[in-house]
Amino acid sequence: MTMIDDSTPAFLQGNGRPVTEERTITDLTITGSLPAELDGRYVRNGANPLTGKADHPFFGDGMVHGVRLRDGKAVWYRNRFVRDDDVAAAKGLPPAPGPRHGMGSGVANTNVISHAGRTFAIVEAGGLPVELSDELETIQYSNFEGTLPGSFTAHPKRDPDTGELHAVVYYWEWDYLQYLVVGNDGRVRRKVDVPVPGKPMVHDCAITERYVVLFDLPCTFDVNVALEGAFPYVWNPDYGARVGLLPRDGEASQVRWLEVPLCYVFHPLNAYETADGRVVLDVCRHPKMFARDRLGPNEGRPTLDRWVLDPSSGKVDTECLDDRGHEFPRHDERRIGKAIRYGYTAGLADRLGVGPIYKHDLVKRASQVRLEGNGRAYLEPVFVPRTPESDEDDGWLLAYVYDAPTNGGEVQILHAQDFNGSPVATIHLPQRVPFGFHGNWVPDLT
Ligand SMILES: [Fe+2]
């Protein structure tokens, strides 16, 4: 059992505390009625240090939690460590097969996706994807059949028209950002290296119909901090802040850079082009990152902002859409890169306390909040359309929930159009799911 004492940092307390047991449960209790249309897995990844200790909230070993839904039933809940080299050694298991990239133990703790019929735990900043079985066991490290030039990212964007993944990759040894397209065969088919003046932390990207949106923001690699063994990306306001529009079929020399306000963005909600050639980019904007608190994110409330980029004039119009503290923005991913009306976020006002979720109507400029209170916190909400043809917002929001009073966990399923109504169904889990990072619904297409 992990011991909590005075030296335990806040990010490892409460629901930041790792879980230790890998469990498989097949007799789950359900409240309400699970929609029969939900046939697939809802999987989620996060940092969960096997030793119970970690130097930074981003560094812990990955653990993937998942529920398998089918025919209106919850078939199983499982949680498994992603078997990086430290986990393998600690458990007396052989290292996972496959290649390695960069330094460290190959942690893959940030997101979990499905592509080309395979499931991958993924991470940024140098680590390779780890392929998992449908039942979340580690199979191997993957460089996409030898086609990845370096490493990968935690936030590829799937083009809903082609099914291909678009990704922006960074690594501390590189003086460029690397744009990749991963084809439907699971192999990288395109690579563009875009030079940048420093070594920025680039957590995510966005796409539109014609562009990939690059973030080049003032949180940059500091070799002296790295040599001290601390988290090496720090606030660097002298670096400036800009976003780049790289034509998806273009070359690095064609990037149109536009200056944006000094800030840090982990996650865009979405981006799209307007009829007059501008790009609308909605983001969760942090005032700073890793400035006073190296164990952040903790530099003030992130706001949901809209940036309208005009590539012809270079002008950027900015607007705060909602200032209540938002992160983990999601939307109907059949509309990635296209105009959207609805977005969903998790509250980040108090990451160890009660956590609401929000539904944003970007046309009416109105937001709804769902706050259960009583020590209950939502993790990132994920939208699942009711049918492939159903309208935007006609579907379910799936979210893992932490219930502090019982130290328990749930998966809650809401109808997105009845955002403050009773849950359609609640799956009661045998243990809590730590706050972690990101998850996805993986429909069963077989
Ligand atoms: Fe993220």
Side-chain angles (χ1 to χ4, degrees), residues 329-410:
R330 300 298 293 259
H331 66 97
D332 183 338
E333 295 190 347
R334 295 172 302 171
R335 303 198 60 78
I336 286 180
K338 306 171 191 290
I340 60 169
R341 176 164 183 176
Y342 299 102
Y344 316 97
T345 58
L348 203 67
D350 177 358
R351 62 192 162 131
L352 299 181
V354 292
I357 48 174
Y358 296 85
K359 174 181 172 179
H360 306 275
D361 183 331
L362 301 166
V363 172
K364 284 190 177 169
R365 301 297 175 94
S367 298
Q368 290 174 264
V369 59
R370 182 183 179 97
L371 175 62
E372 301 214 326
N374 300 321
R376 289 166 63 76
Y378 285 96
L379 283 54
E380 173 193 59
V382 172
F383 178 81
V384 183
R386 188 169 52 81
T387 69
E389 296 78 28
S390 59
D391 290 341
E392 186 185 357
D393 200 43
D394 181 4
W396 295 281
L397 286 173
L398 275 54
Y400 286 83
V401 176
Y402 170 56
D403 185 74
T406 62
N407 197 33
E410 300 170 357

Side-chain angles (χ1 to χ4, degrees), residues 12-333:
L12 291 173
Q13 298 184 29
N15 198 37
R17 193 172 162 188
V19 299
T20 53
E21 231 184 309
E22 296 176 297
R23 303 182 68 173
T24 302
I25 306 292
T26 56
D27 56 347
L28 294 156
T29 304
I30 312 286
T31 304
S33 180
L34 275 174
E37 295 94 333
L38 288 174
D39 185 1
R41 294 171 295 151
Y42 179 28
V43 288
R44 180 175 171 82
N45 200 353
N48 189 91
L50 177 63
T51 60
K53 296 191 180 302
D55 294 333
H56 193 276
F58 292 178
F59 284 173
D61 306 299
M63 176 177 274
V64 175
H65 300 253
V67 287
R68 171 76 168 103
L69 311 185
R70 178 162 224 167
D71 298 329
K73 296 186 175 61
V75 180
W76 49 252
Y77 159 82
R78 292 166 197 269
N79 67 304
R80 295 290 185 275
F81 279 100
V82 180
R83 186 153 51 100
D84 62 54
D85 294 341
D86 282 348
V87 169
K91 288 179 168 285
L93 297 167
R100 300 291 190 274
H101 181 268
M103 303 190 304
S105 60
V107 166
N109 65 9
T110 312
N111 203 348
V112 53
I113 62 164
S114 175
H115 186 63
R118 298 175 178 194
T119 302
F120 296 100
I122 51 177
V123 68
E124 70 199 72
L128 286 176
V130 175
E131 184 182 348
L132 308 179
S133 72
D134 288 352
E135 298 184 333
L136 311 183
E137 305 288 349
T138 294
I139 299 174
Q140 61 182 345
Y141 281 84
S142 172
N143 57 10
F144 298 157
E145 301 176 26
T147 62
L148 262 184
S151 53
F152 202 52
T153 171
H155 285 289
K157 294 287 177 285
R158 188 186 310 280
D159 182 328
D161 296 327
T162 66
E164 293 184 322
L165 298 182
H166 295 254
V168 175
V169 182
Y170 75 103
Y171 182 51
W172 67 274
E173 286 188 350
W174 298 352
D175 55 5
Y176 53 86
L177 309 181
Q178 186 170 76
Y179 168 52
L180 299 176
V181 181
V182 185
N184 289 315
D185 58 358
R187 298 166 62 88
V188 176
R189 71 159 179 82
R190 175 166 164 73
K191 168 182 89 79
V192 181
D193 292 343
V194 179
V196 285
K199 297 177 188 295
M201 180 172 75
V202 184
H203 183 70
D204 203 339
C205 69
I207 58 171
T208 70
E209 304 260 357
R210 287 184 299 163
Y211 299 113
V212 58
V213 180
L214 310 170
F215 291 92
D216 188 17
L217 300 173
C219 185
T220 58
F221 184 82
D222 185 320
V223 67
N224 293 318
V225 176
L227 289 170
E228 292 166 9
F231 185 75
Y233 288 88
V234 299
W235 183 243
N236 178 13
D238 292 341
Y239 186 74
R242 60 182 190 163
V243 297
L245 300 176
L246 167 64
R248 281 163 50 165
D249 57 359
E251 298 305 322
S253 60
Q254 296 175 263
V255 177
R256 178 69 160 118
W257 292 104
L258 297 99
E259 266 189 58
V260 297
L262 274 185
C263 68
Y264 191 74
V265 171
F266 284 104
H267 304 116
L269 168 61
N270 187 36
Y272 61 90
E273 292 165 52
T274 62
D276 63 2
R278 293 179 298 166
V279 171
V280 177
L281 174 61
D282 294 336
V283 299
C284 291
R285 171 187 168 185
H286 293 255
K288 297 177 181 178
M289 191 49 55
F290 303 130
R292 64 181 171 86
D293 188 348
R294 298 276 174 82
L295 297 180
N298 184 24
E299 304 283 347
R301 259 190 288 186
T303 55
L304 181 63
D305 283 19
R306 170 160 291 183
W307 295 344
V308 181
L309 318 172
D310 186 342
S312 58
S313 69
K315 190 163 172 284
V316 177
D317 292 323
T318 67
E319 176 188 2
C320 179
L321 300 174
D322 195 306
D323 68 357
R324 284 179 286 187
H326 300 282
E327 256 298 355
F328 303 111
R330 300 298 293 259
H331 66 97
D332 183 338
E333 295 190 347

